[in-house]
Amino acid sequence: NASLPGILQHPDGTVLKQLQPPPRGPREQEFYNKVYDSDCCDRILLELREYLPKYFGVWSPPTAPNDTYLKLEDVTRKFNKPCIMDVKIGQKSYDPYASAEKIQQQVSKYPLMEEIGFLVLGMRVYHVSSDSYETQNQHYGRSLTKETVKDGISKFFHSGYCLRKDVVAASIQKVEKILEWFEGQTQLNFYASSLLFVYEGSCQATTVRLSDVTLAEKGRVPKGLLSGGDVLEYNNNINVINATENGKIEASVGKGLSKFYALHKKSCSKRHHSQLSLKVENSEQDNVWKSSTCITQEHLNGNVLPQLEKVFYHMPAEPKESAKVEVRMIDFAHVFPSNTKDEGYIYGLKNLITVLQNILDN
């Protein structure tokens, strides 16, 4: 059910991005190959990997061997209700080799690019209050002026109930790390490249079923510490696995496989998720990884259910700054070797950080 051409989701949790026609497609492929070369020992490029989706080479469908796709990490996969924003960064969205008409076309699309240094290409925000997504396309971003850009971007951080200041703060930290990388490198310049912002939109109560007894029917279950100092992490998909022979109950995390992801051609698409119901499992599923936490019978005093309730109810609330947020660089069809800092990209990042800081402060 791909609603957009060019991006498909693979069942293995990657996305397939169709290679654009030359020279853009081959240039993007070459960029990923260079950064992810297994022989790479360039500190700058190795560090850059932290800020990109992971790259798994290229793929072609058996039925159409001439169609090439980049196989990339689905950055949204670990989220239950992902809120997504795509922001083009830089003062110029045309590269140094663009024709006069290409330059004219790009500048006329958003004359403020030079001044603002970034452009919102699309967003998709989950509203808790209505249990629905609000989507904005590139026309929304192009309608923003210097005066309205702050409010325009703050829309992305609004849940329908409140402004998610935890997410704004975490986003600033992530963008600052990317800025730091740019301040320290003079080998690549990026044009018409974007930052992809993703955060968790849902904050609904998590239901944990042990046999048929519901433990946490009301109240949300925050991420937090179990006694013993081990952190139990999950994203609204907890599997409580049956007591093992050694009398331990293991809580582990189910990573729900999202069915489809697309954010491409500068617009945001509908997204469907399989909501896993949280039932007792006799064996670990393929998509479940164990947390380091084991709650022993002894610790539970032989009284499993009431004690488990305590564990889930009394975990401290998640500290504000650890909001689940991803910020990744995407779209590399216009990356060129350079011997200077990428001042246009740096200008855009600094301006974006200023806007985010203003959203946070007011």
Side-chain angles (χ1 to χ4, degrees):
N1 61 350
S3 53
L4 288 169
I7 282 216
L8 305 167
Q9 192 183 39
H10 196 286
D12 67 7
T14 59
V15 289
L16 299 168
K17 178 182 178 181
Q18 191 159 24
L19 217 59
Q20 298 171 73
R24 291 173 302 162
R27 204 187 289 133
E28 182 161 35
Q29 183 182 347
E30 195 186 326
F31 170 79
Y32 275 113
N33 284 339
K34 181 181 160 120
V35 174
Y36 283 94
D37 185 344
S38 55
D39 296 331
C40 175
C41 52
D42 179 335
R43 185 186 57 80
I44 294 291
L45 297 183
L46 291 172
E47 202 181 305
L48 177 60
R49 291 180 187 179
E50 274 180 63
Y51 310 118
L52 310 186
K54 289 190 186 73
Y55 173 62
F56 303 99
V58 292
W59 178 87
S60 295
T63 50
N66 296 330
D67 287 357
T68 306
Y69 292 80
L70 299 170
K71 205 165 189 290
L72 301 166
E73 170 190 10
D74 179 356
V75 179
T76 72
R77 187 183 181 203
K78 66 181 184 188
F79 296 88
N80 180 22
K81 299 284 186 189
C83 298
I84 304 167
M85 177 169 66
D86 182 341
V87 184
K88 190 191 280 190
I89 307 287
Q91 288 179 281
K92 296 181 170 73
S93 55
Y94 52 87
D95 68 48
Y97 303 94
S99 64
E101 67 219 279
K102 177 68 176 175
I103 293 173
Q104 184 47 48
Q105 178 217 3
Q106 285 297 324
V107 170
S108 64
K109 274 185 180 176
Y110 195 58
L112 282 173
M113 197 74 184
E114 190 80 34
E115 210 175 331
I116 292 179
F118 61 85
L119 167 62
V120 176
L121 294 172
M123 66 172 73
R124 198 163 162 264
V125 190
Y126 177 71
H127 284 173
V128 182
S129 41
S130 58
D131 185 27
S132 63
Y133 281 98
E134 182 189 348
T135 303
Q136 303 291 350
N137 64 16
Q138 54 185 329
H139 300 293
Y140 173 79
R142 286 193 220 140
S143 72
L144 299 177
T145 64
K146 277 183 299 179
E147 290 69 41
T148 62
V149 71
K150 179 186 153 220
D151 290 341
I153 284 186
S154 70
K155 200 192 246 303
F156 174 63
F157 299 102
H158 212 283
S159 70
Y161 283 132
C162 64
L163 180 67
R164 291 287 304 275
K165 288 200 166 190
D166 56 328
V167 176
V168 183
S171 298
I172 292 169
Q173 287 181 354
K174 302 253 179 191
V175 178
E176 280 174 342
K177 291 289 289 177
I178 293 171
L179 174 59
E180 228 171 274
W181 182 84
F182 271 90
E183 292 282 18
Q185 71 90 22
T186 55
Q187 53 176 291
L188 292 171
N189 281 7
F190 294 73
Y191 301 89
S193 184
S194 286
L195 288 184
L196 187 72
F197 290 77
V198 190
Y199 73 89
E200 181 56 73
S202 75
C203 60
Q204 76 235 37
T206 300
T207 306
V208 180
R209 291 180 193 283
L210 195 60
S211 308
D212 286 312
V213 181
T214 301
L215 295 179
E217 280 172 312
K218 359 176 217 314
R220 71 181 80 145
V221 181
K223 168 178 160 183
L225 293 170
L226 291 170
S227 58
D230 282 328
V231 177
L232 172 63
E233 294 191 55
Y234 44 81
N235 71 337
N236 289 352
N237 288 322
I238 297 181
N239 290 291
V240 177
I241 292 164
N242 267 354
T244 50
E245 289 115 334
N246 62 358
K248 291 181 178 179
I249 288 177
E250 297 174 33
S252 71
V253 185
K255 285 167 73 165
L257 178 68
S258 46
K259 286 185 185 158
F260 177 71
Y261 155 65
L263 186 121
H264 194 234
K265 302 285 186 202
K266 307 315 172 197
S267 61
C268 311
S269 83
K270 293 195 176 104
R271 168 139 190 185
H272 309 287
H273 276 271
S274 47
Q275 289 286 146
L276 300 186
S277 77
L278 311 167
K279 295 265 197 296
V280 169
E281 304 292 346
N282 286 315
S283 63
E284 265 194 287
Q285 299 166 330
D286 291 345
N287 65 343
V288 169
W289 41 276
K290 284 184 179 182
S291 93
S292 57
T293 308
C294 288
I295 310 156
T296 59
Q297 285 303 112
E298 187 180 75
H299 173 67
L300 293 177
N301 225 1
N303 193 351
V304 177
L305 287 177
Q307 291 293 337
L308 258 185
E309 260 185 274
K310 271 187 202 161
V311 167
F312 285 113
Y313 272 130
H314 299 296
M315 288 195 274
E318 185 168 350
K320 279 284 183 279
E321 63 279 6
S322 68
K324 198 195 295 175
V325 178
E326 285 287 355
V327 179
R328 302 287 183 94
M329 296 167 61
I330 57 168
D331 293 343
F332 305 111
H334 304 273
V335 179
F336 294 90
S338 161
N339 49 21
T340 60
K341 276 194 200 181
D342 190 340
E343 294 299 349
Y345 201 108
I346 287 171
Y347 176 88
L349 288 179
K350 286 181 172 173
N351 264 11
L352 182 56
I353 289 168
T354 302
V355 170
L356 293 172
Q357 196 60 57
N358 287 340
I359 292 170
L360 191 59
D361 295 342
N362 297 344

